[in-house]
Every structure is written in structure tokens, then in C-alpha cells.
Amino acid sequence: MIIFHGVINNGTYILVAHNGIARVVNSYFYDMTNEEYAGFGVANCEIVKYVF
């Protein structure tokens, strides 16, 4: 599960996605090499939080 907390409407947003989407989201917030991108994944029931 990926949780976004941001300034858009002062809200918290939850995105439940498979690893393909999780890679794209993570690469938006962090610079990643191709190897890091390919190796990135979110485990089952793992929570990742992005604050923007």
C-alpha cells in the first residue's frame, strides 16, 4: 500500500497498487538507476509513505 500525504486539499491519499505501479510512483519521488528501478518492490502488506 502506498500512502500519499500532500497539500492537495490537505488530505491523505491511499493507493493500492501492484509493483509495476509502485516502481513508477517511487521513481517519481526518487532518482533511481535502471537496476534500482528493476529491483524495487513493495512486499505484501507493506506500507510506503510519501510526503509532498
Side-chain angles (χ1 to χ4, degrees), residues 6-33:
V7 295
I8 302 171
N9 297 325
N10 294 321
T12 299
Y13 306 91
I14 297 176
L15 169 67
V16 178
H18 58 78
N19 276 332
I21 299 301
R23 284 185 188 106
V24 172
V25 170
N26 196 67
S27 69
Y28 177 82
F29 289 99
Y30 300 105
D31 288 330
M32 301 171 73
T33 65

